Amino acid sequence: MTASPIAEARRLIVKIGSSLLVDDASGQIRREWLESLCDDVARVRARGQEVVLVSSGAVAVGRRHLGLAPPLRLEEKQAAAATGQIQLAHAYQEALARHGITCAQVLLSLYDSEDRRRYLNARQTLDTLLRLGAVPVINENDTVATTEIRFGDNDRLAARVAQMISADALVLFSDIDGLYTADPRRDPSASYLPEVHEITPEIEAMAGDPGTGYGSGGMVTKLVAAKICLSAGCRMAICKGEPLRPLTALEEGARATWFIPDGSPRTARKQWIYGSMKPVGALTVDAGAVRALAKGGSLLPAGVVAVDGDFDRGDCVLVRNADGRVLGRGLIAYASDDARRIMRHRSADIAGILGETRGDELIHRDDLVMEG
Ligand code: GLU
């Protein structure tokens, strides 16, 4: 690697573990550390990069507040999260406001990453927040999630978010400075790996068993996150978050394991659309749209002359020219009924026709894969 992936990322996600943010003895939020992290966030944003935070700590803060002692039952954890999350959000709001940055709380559940419509909604909301200059602060929606539908760990949640919003880099700040061939706390001969390109069975074996693996959230969940990131074209780091200004430290060469994918988030997304999505409808486009698409543009409703099939928002549809030749395929932002109502119309008229708009494009260029 040449420059730091942190400096190169257009869209960066930073995941903060509970043990960094919350003082273990008192259950208080470690303000000085949080402020130093937010100083880093402000610095990175001032360079024109987008930042999303995924923060744990709701349960750790809330359980002290409610006087609950571990082990907590699921409903106690949920109660703790309900009160802790308010304090967490408030702390981030204050720390970011020192830099004039608006923060936005987003609570996600597993369904939001698995159900296509919810996934698209979450993606669009996060895109909009970033466009408006806010810093989303994400956590799992712990109060409603049951065991079966919980991520349970924010490593995985952060990786899913990275995939969802096509982030270029994810940093997992925790209490371990990287991946080792064995648990370095128990095995002094364990050696550290600076860079990983593929999660092989050997790499997986290095993480140890779930629960007993090293690092507070366990190395196992971090490797699951790394797998998701590698397939999504997102670079991921496992790194110690303890120092003040941890992002600066990482950028200046603090020890970390970087997981480096072959492609970019863009190519990964296109491969996923091409390889895993079955087209369930088709759009016929006019000559103007054919030209716009050939130049790499998005597909606007004005260029669509026919809509075939019955499909939902987020489904995959084929794009054809007037002769019926397939030009490409993509994820459509409007359901078939709505698409029929807005085809041949200017994007500015969408809200007037449908009563709401889900964006100017029928298929955004990032969601479109052209043939050969
Ligand atoms: N969502 C949990 C919380 O905020 C943390 C999950 C994790 O530790 O990864 O307390």
Side-chain angles (χ1 to χ4, degrees):
M1 281 187 302
T2 47
S4 162
I6 302 292
E8 288 178 345
R10 193 180 52 86
R11 197 167 261 193
L12 171 68
I13 304 191
V14 180
K15 182 259 170 177
I16 300 117
S18 298
S19 63
L20 295 171
L21 188 63
V22 185
D23 179 70
D24 195 36
S26 65
Q28 297 292 319
I29 292 174
R30 294 171 59 215
R31 300 268 168 177
E32 191 197 4
W33 183 85
L34 176 61
E35 288 182 1
S36 85
L37 172 79
C38 292
D39 294 347
D40 270 352
V41 169
R43 184 179 60 81
V44 170
R45 278 176 34 101
R47 291 194 303 219
Q49 298 170 268
E50 294 173 339
V51 184
V52 172
L53 301 175
V54 174
S55 182
S56 305
V59 175
V61 170
R63 112 177 142 70
R64 297 335 197 286
H65 206 70
L66 291 176
L68 295 167
L72 302 189
R73 295 196 307 269
L74 178 64
E75 61 273 23
E76 287 173 334
K77 272 192 200 159
Q78 298 186 301
T83 177
Q85 183 60 30
I86 298 183
Q87 301 188 37
L88 219 59
H90 190 224
Y92 277 99
Q93 185 183 40
E94 283 185 343
L96 288 165
R98 291 161 48 251
H99 297 280
I101 299 173
T102 301
C103 85
Q105 175 181 265
V106 178
L107 300 179
L108 295 174
S109 70
L110 194 56
Y111 280 148
D112 301 320
S113 81
E114 297 199 332
D115 175 89
R116 197 108 43 76
R117 272 184 303 161
R118 296 174 72 121
Y119 172 99
L120 284 176
N121 258 347
R123 176 180 156 92
Q124 210 162 30
T125 304
L126 288 167
D127 269 344
T128 305
L129 285 168
L130 290 169
R131 200 175 60 240
L132 294 172
V135 169
V137 179
I138 301 179
N139 198 354
E140 182 160 15
N141 195 350
D142 287 310
T143 51
V144 294
T146 64
T147 323
E148 309 81 64
I149 61 154
R150 277 186 98 213
F151 279 105
D153 68 87
N154 279 358
D155 294 330
R156 229 167 7 131
L157 172 66
R160 284 281 174 224
V161 172
Q163 182 178 47
M164 181 186 281
I165 63 170
S166 303
D168 312 277
L170 164 63
V171 177
L172 300 181
F173 277 134
S174 74
D175 55 2
I176 184 99
D177 58 4
L179 177 67
Y180 288 75
T181 49
D183 185 344
R185 290 163 209 193
R186 275 185 252 157
D187 182 350
S189 70
S191 61
Y192 141 80
L193 284 81
E195 227 175 272
V196 173
H197 293 258
E198 195 190 349
I199 311 294
T200 58
E202 292 75 36
I203 297 278
E204 266 172 347
M206 292 173 192
D209 297 325
T212 61
Y214 56 100
S216 65
M219 194 47 79
V220 174
T221 61
K222 292 184 175 43
L223 289 188
V224 174
K227 254 190 187 168
I228 296 169
C229 284
L230 287 177
S231 73
C234 175
R235 296 165 168 191
M236 188 193 103
I238 297 175
C239 172
K240 222 184 188 119
E242 221 153 43
L244 294 179
R245 306 206 62 161
L247 266 179
T248 302
L250 177 58
E251 207 173 314
E252 290 175 353
R255 176 173 280 200
T257 298
W258 276 102
F259 294 82
I260 307 289
D262 287 340
S264 67
R266 211 177 134 82
T267 50
R269 190 168 169 77
K270 298 210 167 191
Q271 271 164 11
W272 168 66
I273 292 170
Y274 203 85
S276 319
M277 308 289 290
K278 201 168 116 50
V280 290
L283 307 177
T284 305
V285 302
D286 66 15
V290 172
R291 281 195 297 277
L293 295 179
K295 284 194 218 141
S298 296
L299 179 61
L300 304 178
V304 175
V305 296
V307 174
D308 291 307
D310 182 18
F311 49 80
D312 221 330
R313 217 153 69 67
D315 279 339
C316 182
V317 297
L318 294 174
V319 178
R320 296 192 292 229
N321 68 6
D323 301 332
R325 190 164 65 83
V326 174
L327 306 172
R329 64 184 69 195
L331 304 185
I332 188 154
Y334 291 84
S336 45
D337 290 346
D338 290 344
R340 278 187 194 97
R341 289 169 64 197
I342 59 175
M343 67 180 193
R344 299 175 192 266
H345 287 281
R346 293 183 314 136
S347 297
D349 298 336
I350 296 176
I353 298 169
L354 299 181
E356 61 169 354
T357 171
R358 297 198 179 276
D360 287 351
E361 303 88 8
L362 259 187
I363 303 180
H364 189 276
R365 62 172 179 275
D366 290 347
D367 293 335
L368 190 63
V369 192
M370 300 303 286
E371 292 291 315

